Amino acid sequence: MKRLMPLVSIAVVMGLASLAQSALNDYYQRILAVIAINVILAVSLNLTNGYSGDFSLGHAAFMAIGAYTSAILTLPVRTKAVVLPDLPPWLSQVELPFILAPLISGGLAALVAFIVGLPVLRLRGHYLAVATLGLMVIVQVIALNWQPFTRGARGINGLPPFTTVLWAYGWMLITIAVIWRIVHSSFGRAMMAVREDELAAACRGVPIFRTRLLAFVCGAFFASIAGALWAHLITAITPSSFSFLITFNVVAMVVIGGSGSITGSVIGAVLMTLLPELLRRLETALAIGGQPLYGLSQIVIALMMLGVMLFRPQGLMGRRELPEVLALIGTGSTTHSPHVNTTSEKTA
Amino acid sequence: MVTPSYIAQQLINALNIGSIYALVAIGLTVVYGILRLINFAHGDMMTIGAYVALTAVTALAMPAVAALLVAMLVVSALGVLIERLAYRPLRGAPEVAMLITSLAISSLIENGATMTLTAQPRPVRLAAELTQRVNALGLSFAVMDVLIIVLAVGLMIALTLFVRRTTLGIAMRACSENVRITQLMGINVNRVIAVAFAISAGLAAAAGVLWTGKFGIVDPFTGFLPGLKAFVAAVIGGIGNIPGAMLGGYLLGFAEVFFVAFMPPEVSGYRDAFVFVLLLVVLLVRPTGLLGAHEVNRA
């Protein structure tokens, strides 16, 4: 029974997703899809920020790469001739199906992450945070200036609306499954070893740099897929879609959910998608003197982040995962899964 | 196109931007030196300073100089308050904790300003005399341009004297060497950190007033990018090192202005990307910056 649990939950999620797709109206479908995309973003950011201990602020950069790549690859040839007339011929004649485009965008982002990671991951801590933030600015500036490929500030609109609830949840499950396997493999344990004590890990023969680089590249791959899904959900992308705000919100999901817990990232992503959505309605409903309170939802996110940092720095889940929590509830005992480094809870 | 007067014009421009980057970078470096905190909310102190000065000028009809002083005082107090409420409880926590907190505070300030003041950019007119253009030596520049350079240099001299000559300044330098040992020497470290935040925020406020005074416009996100670039400046000079921050600020100002002035127009759009590529290069080639001393633990 226990071994069937993952399969059962996958079936349940996909069943619910297809039900939602046929029964709910566009608005709710869109919110559901955004939740799935945010889960992908948060879980993949957790790989670096939570597991390998490299605090990256560059997630929006990879998302942008994914969104633009997928947009250029899937736009119908005839539309492309009008919208992006200056594309090189090998790109302007391409029109890929939606199963391939995110994969290729993911691959491209992974390649970029690899090339950028080689120098950038020589940095640690703050320096890495700012360097990855710099990467985000660089990608944004390129999107703003590389007219033949991105149309600059006008962005690309009229993308085929491929992303459905089913697609989004399918990719979400794949992401969670893959990252779960990564984290619970020997490679995942190497990542955590690097996070806890680099010197000790190196002494035990963990290839430090390769481990950190791989975590970064995997995170970028899935961030890019999330970007592609997002582009085909919203159907219009501009350079400012991938601003610091996105990075900030994904970081908030990971931090609030608990860095180093996939379950935490999922919870964080769901919470941080639904809550601002509800608050956004309040923004216009609570208009004081006819003026909507724009910014309220971001303020609440920021306050929650502050609250978590001050009162529960390890986040809602700490480093626990769902099966452990279930086991705890089930048996009432305090046994921990051997996968999780419980001794390091205090340093979270 | 590239005439001597064009070059001179760009020099003035570079000195202007560089002065402002230097002021902001000093604030970052002073705090980083002691707490190892990259204060992402630092740029937002510029924004608040600009709004305070604007309010003082328009609503209270203050002269520009008084408005500048008021802005610096108010933002200094705010900086101390933020340190007390948000950063002090996190002392001893992992470095990333304070970094995340400063991200949250930055978001709080930006969106707080959006909510209360709207995201609509506002024109900044500090005083009519400041925007007057002067023609001298074949150059044309605004009074504001001169004022920025003079004020920034004045503030930097004052800060240098403070750090070199006063007890508190010496305590500050001691703290950035080693907080724990400074504490053992009987120095009230909390007070030193509070002073560092006051100075940091005050300088950022001054920079914000000058920046918005120069460009004539302010919105809730005005300070974000200059704040980030000032970090680049601080790293170039060697983060934690005050003269380094000044040097880095001017170098970055020159690099940026000359990149835009002498590169073909298709490339000059990549100005912000250029700045961060510069950061990456510096971090990789000389991570301690130009004037930075050794750093025992930069993880």
Side-chain angles (χ1 to χ4, degrees):
Chain A
M1 184 57 208
K2 209 174 171 188
R3 309 207 39 182
L4 283 176
M5 270 306 279
L7 290 177
V8 172
S9 40
I10 287 172
V12 168
V13 170
M14 288 316 282
L16 284 177
S18 55
L19 192 69
Q21 193 163 319
S22 55
L24 292 177
N25 68 24
D26 283 355
Y27 173 71
Y28 288 106
Q29 284 200 29
R30 177 179 283 216
I31 291 180
L32 280 176
V34 170
I35 289 179
I37 292 170
N38 280 337
V39 168
I40 299 177
L41 286 170
V43 171
S44 59
L45 185 69
N46 204 347
L47 218 43
T48 42
N49 292 29
Y51 288 99
S52 74
D54 286 319
F55 196 82
S56 162
L57 290 174
H59 229 46
F62 300 119
M63 212 183 145
I65 292 174
Y68 273 100
T69 314
S70 178
I72 292 172
L73 290 178
T74 56
L75 216 55
V77 173
R78 213 182 296 158
T79 325
K80 228 185 286 195
V82 182
V83 178
L84 295 164
D86 298 324
L87 277 184
W90 58 275
L91 265 179
S92 60
Q93 294 308 319
V94 170
E95 186 183 332
L96 291 180
F98 193 51
I99 184 126
L100 274 178
L103 278 175
I104 295 177
S105 354
L108 185 70
L111 185 71
V112 172
F114 179 77
I115 295 168
V116 171
L118 282 178
V120 165
L121 287 176
R122 278 164 56 188
L123 307 167
R124 302 291 149 84
H126 298 134
Y127 291 87
L128 182 74
V130 176
T132 46
L133 191 59
L135 176 68
M136 191 201 81
V137 175
I138 292 171
V139 168
Q140 218 177 354
V141 169
I142 291 176
L144 206 54
N145 285 285
W146 204 15
Q147 292 283 349
F149 285 81
T150 64
R151 281 186 16 122
R154 288 172 299 170
I156 305 175
N157 43 29
L159 301 179
F162 286 136
T163 305
T164 58
V165 175
L166 267 179
W167 272 113
Y169 280 81
W171 273 113
M172 181 192 88
L173 288 176
I174 293 174
T175 308
I176 294 176
V178 170
I179 292 181
W180 182 276
R181 296 296 299 174
I182 290 178
V183 166
H184 291 84
S185 68
S186 59
F187 170 57
R189 244 163 293 179
M191 274 163 40
M192 288 183 246
V194 171
R195 172 190 72 197
E196 293 305 326
D197 190 330
E198 218 167 85
L199 185 64
C203 290
R204 302 288 299 197
V206 174
I208 304 285
F209 189 75
R210 211 171 68 198
T211 307
R212 293 172 60 218
L213 186 62
L214 247 149
F216 190 57
V217 169
C218 290
F221 178 82
F222 286 108
S224 176
I225 286 179
L229 289 170
W230 192 82
H232 292 287
L233 180 72
I234 309 294
T235 71
I237 49 175
T238 62
S240 54
S241 318
F242 307 98
S243 62
F244 183 63
L245 188 69
I246 302 275
T247 301
F248 176 79
N249 284 345
V250 181
V251 168
M253 291 168 199
V254 174
V255 168
I256 290 171
S259 316
S261 159
I262 291 175
T263 316
S265 293
V266 174
I267 293 174
V270 175
L271 210 63
M272 289 294 104
T273 317
L274 288 180
L275 200 66
E277 193 57 44
L278 290 174
L279 287 167
R280 215 159 286 146
R281 292 189 186 173
L282 271 183
E283 281 180 0
T284 36
L286 281 179
I288 297 174
Q291 202 197 57
L293 295 173
Y294 292 127
L296 181 68
S297 53
Q298 277 307 118
I299 289 178
V300 172
I301 293 183
L303 284 176
M304 283 182 68
M305 222 156 131
L306 277 180
V308 165
M309 289 325 291
L310 289 174
F311 303 113
R312 197 174 162 78
Q314 72 274 38
L316 292 178
M317 292 296 290
R319 284 176 185 165
R320 289 201 186 81
E321 298 291 2
L322 187 63
E324 287 167 74
V325 177
L326 290 180
L328 270 178
I329 297 167
T331 60
S333 74
T334 50
T335 44
H336 286 282
S337 141
H339 297 309
V340 177
N341 191 346
T342 47
T343 53
S344 58
E345 195 90 37
K346 61 180 184 296
T347 60
Chain B
M1 179 190 127
V2 183
T3 57
S5 85
Y6 177 74
I7 296 177
Q9 206 86 58
Q10 296 304 328
L11 268 173
I12 295 180
N13 207 358
L15 275 175
N16 264 280
I17 307 275
S19 298
I20 295 175
Y21 284 161
L23 282 182
V24 186
I26 291 170
L28 273 173
T29 245
V30 164
V31 165
Y32 183 90
I34 301 175
L35 285 182
R36 296 289 178 270
L37 158 70
I38 291 177
N39 192 354
F40 275 99
H42 194 58
D44 300 307
M45 296 292 151
M46 289 176 71
T47 316
I48 297 182
Y51 273 119
V52 171
L54 186 61
T55 314
V57 168
T58 52
L60 305 174
M62 279 191 193
V65 180
L68 177 74
L69 284 177
V70 169
M72 288 176 70
L73 282 176
V74 169
V75 177
S76 286
L78 187 69
V80 174
L81 188 72
I82 291 175
E83 190 274 326
R84 184 69 195 80
L85 295 179
Y87 299 131
R88 195 176 294 181
L90 292 175
R91 268 217 220 123
E95 283 184 343
V96 171
M98 270 199 282
L99 183 102
I100 296 171
T101 306
S102 77
L103 282 173
I105 288 172
S106 166
S107 167
L108 206 60
I109 293 173
E110 284 168 7
N111 290 291
T114 308
M115 196 166 93
T116 51
L117 304 165
T118 76
Q120 201 71 40
R122 295 177 185 214
V124 178
R125 264 290 177 74
L126 294 178
E129 308 88 66
L130 291 178
T131 47
Q132 253 169 17
R133 298 202 76 82
V134 182
N135 288 298
L137 309 165
L139 297 172
S140 155
F141 48 85
V143 178
M144 189 76 199
D145 295 340
V146 183
L147 189 75
I148 288 175
I149 300 171
V150 171
L151 250 172
V153 171
L155 283 172
M156 284 185 250
I157 292 173
L159 178 78
T160 310
L161 286 178
F162 169 78
V163 171
R164 291 264 170 92
R165 299 285 164 81
T166 64
T167 321
L168 208 52
I170 294 169
M172 238 167 76
R173 281 190 290 149
C175 273
S176 62
E177 288 275 324
N178 191 323
V179 174
R180 202 170 291 170
I181 292 179
T182 311
Q183 200 159 22
L184 289 176
M185 296 294 143
I187 302 289
N188 183 347
V189 171
N190 279 337
R191 212 174 103 216
V192 174
I193 292 175
V195 170
F197 267 90
I199 291 174
S200 164
L203 290 179
V209 175
L210 297 176
W211 180 273
T212 52
K214 180 174 170 58
F215 294 109
I217 207 159
V218 62
D219 69 47
F221 304 93
T222 298
F224 183 74
L225 203 57
L228 274 188
K229 285 185 182 169
F231 175 79
V232 179
V235 171
I236 291 176
I239 194 156
N241 181 313
I242 295 175
M246 298 175 191
L247 179 69
Y250 281 106
L251 280 180
L252 187 68
F254 274 88
E256 199 184 313
V257 168
F258 280 72
F259 179 81
V260 176
F262 296 111
M263 286 302 219
E266 315 88 72
V267 183
S268 59
Y270 287 94
R271 154 190 187 162
D272 295 338
F274 165 73
V275 170
F276 283 94
V277 170
L278 203 67
L279 168 77
L280 292 183
V281 171
V282 170
L283 280 176
L284 295 169
V285 177
R286 199 177 157 80
T288 49
L290 296 172
L291 302 184
H294 66 98
E295 196 172 332
V296 187
N297 181 14
R298 58 173 52 251

